[in-house]
Amino acid sequence: MWRTISKDRIRYQCAAILILLLILVFDSHVLAGTTGRIVGRIRDAETKEGIIGASVLIKGTNLGTATDLEGDFNINSLSPGRYTLIISSVGYNKITVENVNVRIDLTTRVDQELTSTAVNVGEVVIQAKQPLITKDLTSSSAIVSSDELKLMPVENIHQVINLQAGVVNGHFRGGRSNEVSYLVDGVSVTDAFNGGMSLEVENSSVRQMEVISGTFNAEYGQAMSGIVNIVTKDGGSRYEGNLSAYLGNYFTKHTDIFQHMDRFDPMGSVDVQATLSGPTKILDNFSFFVTGRYYKDDGYEFGRRIYNTYDDRPVFPNSSNQNVWIDSPTGDSAWVPMNPYEKKSFNSKLSYGISNWKFSYGFSWDDNWNKYYSHAYKWTPDAIKNHYRTNFVHNVQISYLPNQNTYIALKFSSSLYKYSGYLYPDEFDSHYVEPNQGTPYTGYTFNQGGNETDRYSRSTFTNILQLTIESQVSKEHKVKAGAELRIHELYNSWKTIRNQTEGQLDSLGNAIFTLGYSDVDTKYNQVYTRKPMEFSAFIQDKMEYDIMIINAGIRFDYFNPNTNLPVDLRNALNNPNFAHANEKRDAEVEYQISPRLGVSFPISDKGAIHFSYGHFFQIPTFENLYSNYNYLIDQTTALSSTVGNPELKAQKTVKYELGLQQVIFPNVSIDVSLYYSDIRNLLGMEILKTYEGFLFGRYINRDYGNVKGLILTLDKRFADYFSAKIDYTYQVAQGNASDPMQNFYNNQADPPVEPNKKVVPLSWDQTHTLNISLTVGDPMNWTAGLILGYGSGAPYTEEPRYTKGLRFENLGRKPSTLNVDLKANKIFKFFGFDVNTFLLVYNLFDIKNEYGVNATTGRAGVDLNTQFAAPIIGTNTIEEYLKNPADYSSPRRISLGLNVNF
């Protein structure tokens, strides 16, 4: 559990714990989850006895081993991917085993029998077969290889994640969306400010990706719902390159919703990627891998420039007659994209191996620009902000193999995630207009001019130092341990335009607008910098016996928010008439210890049962710790202010899982998992009152929930020209609140809304989820891949007016959703090159899924409250306003492209 202790005491305790942990780390032997291993037994084909001293080598490397007295061998700490084993022994014919697949954190078994040279059969080449079940899997996870990624109709990592069983729109098994940890090459790339994955590794850089939706081992922390673990590619011993490009656009029959989609524009979506890898020729075993991408999409949500930003709402010639008004739009009626996106990225890695050492340096960069659709500004499309995101990640790793069974790695990562948003680069640009300009008089009316007036800039700078060691201390025990230090520097700035001459009129009686901003550290101009620190360590043991496999471990986490807060929160305004005015105290640090356990019972060569249990903790995202750190409280009777809480405790989930893997037919397996999660200390909000009587909200640990579910997976391995996978998830996700701000919103109502007395469906509670993927064809000639996704309706809260005045939170259900994506490709030979042409179609059947619904009907575009609406003072109709493209899934998109390998 988390504990709070004084700052002086924690210094001494942490120093002692750190020394003990470092002794433990160096005395044990351990590693993070970026490698797998190969084990097996080599026997005499005639006597069936183990062969002593047989050589097992990995082709193209200096890695290998010899069998022991029983003929057993193990090769540890292998990067995921496919390998070729060469097995030989004096007096026996040599065997080559190709396509041995190594997966992250798992054991691949290769058993072979050698024939005596007295029987002259020459060298034997065998194709390894991947087992349909994974006997050492102690919790639910999915592993996606680079070869599988190439066949899937996906463009980015997030699409792959959402295809996995138990994942619904970024929510892993019913958890909140920011409860996932993202790792690249064993190092976190999660933005600690908001819990998201800021840096997105390109698909072409991925060697293998593991998505853990069940329980996870002690080496993984700062996550309650899931882990996404990506291992990137290295360069090889020969040069390889790839160039791909495609063009496309959206094509839909629903042009009443998705306006301006009735024309052909092949440049509406552009994607160009290039990859090159191979030896550097500077030194032996010094290789490189680089990939670059340019992506542009005009989007499918367009606005029409009826108004320019400097226009304003209609005027009334006769102030006594509100039925007569004059609207004077100056726009040119041009269609303007309102959700465009553009991205440039570069991923690279340098690798050098010498003797038992390996050095690598990775660098990733991406630069993103986009806009977010605003339905209110649909007729003033130039009014919405530009959003920019730039990421830099440097990753240095040094690994050492002191012997065949031990692997030590030291990793250092430095990342910078930068965000900014504004309409014009110059904050004093003369094109800005008065903040309230263009705001309509009536509801269901588009803004009639005006612009967004706020701007923001924030960054997260994180340095991570990680030591990990791994050792196969005996045939049955593989011990892992490690320690990690994270030092962050957060910068956050937000401000909005204020009229410096508000209330003043010119000689004609018109309001005077003078562009300006409030002083720094006031309500409308807030800036802060904070430097929190995290430390963690773990130890775990993977015990592999014939009858069971056990993963057992324990994890220690320490967090220092490194800030202060008022001594008396009720005197946050520092009123000298009350005690503790202007007095601050240091925020307390936190630490926790969490156990993890997973067990698998192989019941035969074709079946295994697993059980897992664990305690998982996560500090809330830093934006909730430090927001409004100056405690700027609105001095009004209305509740409108919120503040962060640097002493938030870790959120806690206790997970249980029981699963069965079973081969039911040749090349066909079934996987069934039952799971339950008990979630406590979730982020919520309390309402406090100052001594002066002013209300404000403060983040605390108050929310709770529980999730239970069943996952059924039917997997048909690729054979006879096709493969198929069916994932079905039944899930019930309940809690007292879906939004941490819910209690704040409840208390803003008049009268305040009573909080839930019992759990209700969470907003992402999708009871039934079905994903079906099908691949057919000959990978050396042509393939076609199809992915179908179905989801039952998510909850929504019905408007009390239509439920007899009673409010039932999230008891309504939105319509179900269905989506089908297609990717087909054909390979041609052209001047000695393999040219892969492909067709990519998202939302093949152009289904109009309703994601945003009206509380009066549970449907998109239908609002019963329009019957009570006042006549619109403007030129749009209610029907036009209700057709909001943001309420629906994206329309059909078709792209054509080619891919050339060289």
Side-chain angles (χ1 to χ4, degrees), residues 42 54-60 63-65 75 83-89 94-98 100 114 123-124:
I42 309 303
S55 172
V56 183
L57 301 176
I58 296 181
K59 185 178 180 179
L63 300 174
T65 187
I75 305 175
Y83 295 90
T84 296
L85 295 185
I86 300 175
I87 305 171
S88 62
S89 184
K94 183 165 63 175
I95 288 181
T96 299
V97 185
E98 298 179 338
V100 178
L114 301 184
E123 182 178 347
V124 179

Side-chain angles (χ1 to χ4, degrees), residues 433-464:
V433 298
E434 201 273 332
N436 296 318
Q437 186 166 318
T439 304
Y441 294 104
T442 52
Y444 304 101
T445 310
F446 294 122
N447 284 15
Q448 295 147 336
N451 53 232
E452 295 180 342
T453 58
D454 68 315
R455 59 197 302 121
Y456 66 89
S457 174
R458 76 167 182 85
S459 63
T460 304
F461 179 50
T462 299
N463 288 319
I464 300 176

Side-chain angles (χ1 to χ4, degrees), residues 32-168:
T34 60
T35 64
R37 68 174 185 141
I38 301 173
V39 304
R41 175 169 291 181
I42 309 303
R43 292 187 175 94
D44 185 296
E46 184 176 348
T47 66
K48 306 302 180 183
E49 294 182 354
I51 300 175
I52 303 172
S55 172
V56 183
L57 301 176
I58 296 181
K59 185 178 180 179
T61 74
N62 58 357
L63 300 174
T65 187
T67 56
D68 61 15
L69 295 175
E70 296 177 350
D72 292 329
F73 75 91
N74 69 79
I75 305 175
N76 295 294
S77 309
L78 295 173
S79 297
R82 295 188 181 274
Y83 295 90
T84 296
L85 295 185
I86 300 175
I87 305 171
S88 62
S89 184
V90 176
Y92 292 90
N93 291 296
K94 183 165 63 175
I95 288 181
T96 299
V97 185
E98 298 179 338
N99 288 319
V100 178
N101 190 20
V102 174
R103 296 181 293 167
I104 300 171
D105 274 345
L106 296 175
T107 298
T108 299
R109 188 165 189 89
V110 178
D111 296 324
Q112 292 296 325
E113 295 182 351
L114 301 184
T115 59
S116 170
T117 52
V119 181
N120 187 11
V121 296
E123 182 178 347
V124 179
V125 178
I126 297 173
Q127 296 296 315
K129 285 190 175 181
Q130 179 68 33
L132 285 168
I133 65 167
T134 305
K135 293 184 179 181
D136 58 330
L137 186 69
T138 56
S139 66
S140 295
S141 71
I143 293 180
V144 182
S145 68
S146 57
D147 292 336
E148 292 170 318
L149 276 175
K150 292 176 183 177
L151 298 177
M152 300 171 70
V154 295
E155 293 176 322
N156 59 64
I157 293 299
H158 293 288
Q159 290 174 306
V160 181
I161 294 170
N162 281 317
L163 291 174
Q164 308 311 312
V167 182
V168 178

Side-chain angles (χ1 to χ4, degrees), residues 404-636:
Q404 180 59 43
N405 294 321
T406 304
Y407 178 94
I408 303 173
L410 179 66
K411 302 178 182 181
F412 174 74
S413 172
S414 181
S415 60
L416 176 61
Y417 310 128
K418 299 174 63 177
Y419 295 75
S420 61
Y422 45 77
L423 180 56
Y424 304 115
D426 182 359
E427 62 185 47
F428 291 99
D429 194 300
S430 61
H431 292 93
Y432 276 117
V433 298
E434 201 273 332
N436 296 318
Q437 186 166 318
T439 304
Y441 294 104
T442 52
Y444 304 101
T445 310
F446 294 122
N447 284 15
Q448 295 147 336
N451 53 232
E452 295 180 342
T453 58
D454 68 315
R455 59 197 302 121
Y456 66 89
S457 174
R458 76 167 182 85
S459 63
T460 304
F461 179 50
T462 299
N463 288 319
I464 300 176
L465 181 63
Q466 182 186 100
L467 174 66
T468 53
I469 313 174
E470 172 188 75
S471 185
Q472 193 72 39
V473 296
S474 70
K475 191 179 297 184
E476 293 82 14
H477 292 268
K478 177 183 177 183
V479 181
K480 291 185 176 183
E484 181 181 81
L485 176 68
R486 301 184 189 182
I487 299 175
H488 309 277
E489 181 174 333
L490 310 176
Y491 170 79
N492 190 31
S493 168
W494 175 89
K495 61 184 176 182
T496 189
I497 290 174
R498 306 296 295 165
N499 187 352
Q500 302 300 296
T501 52
E502 187 171 359
Q504 298 183 27
L505 304 177
D506 62 16
S507 58
L508 299 178
N510 298 315
I512 300 174
F513 171 59
T514 303
L515 191 156
Y517 297 90
S518 302
D519 293 335
V520 174
D521 290 337
T522 58
K523 178 179 179 180
Y524 299 104
N525 190 345
Q526 300 188 34
V527 181
Y528 67 78
T529 299
R530 288 294 180 269
K531 298 179 180 181
M533 185 270 282
E534 301 173 78
F535 173 79
S536 62
F538 74 92
I539 183 169
Q540 66 186 41
D541 187 5
K542 183 176 183 180
M543 296 162 270
E544 298 187 70
Y545 303 98
D546 291 337
I547 61 172
M548 72 172 64
I549 293 92
I550 302 172
N551 270 313
I554 191 166
R555 181 179 180 87
F556 169 82
D557 286 278
Y558 164 88
F559 174 69
N560 185 349
N562 197 21
T563 189
N564 54 36
L565 68 161
V567 171
D568 186 351
L569 291 174
R570 294 198 63 192
N571 195 13
L573 297 175
N574 295 314
N575 190 328
N577 296 320
F578 301 103
H580 305 298
N582 294 304
E583 292 184 23
K584 302 276 188 178
R585 64 176 178 84
D586 290 337
E588 295 178 328
V589 299
E590 310 289 335
Y591 76 91
Q592 67 176 3
I593 296 174
S594 51
R596 313 281 172 86
L597 176 67
V599 183
S600 176
F601 299 94
I603 53 181
S604 71
D605 289 340
K606 297 182 179 180
I609 296 172
H610 73 261
F611 167 78
S612 57
Y613 159 83
H615 290 238
F616 305 92
F617 296 86
Q618 182 180 12
I619 286 288
T621 55
F622 292 163
E623 62 179 325
N624 304 122
L625 274 65
Y626 302 120
S627 65
N628 193 7
Y629 80 101
N630 277 325
Y631 290 81
L632 303 172
I633 312 299
D634 280 348
Q635 299 181 36
T636 66

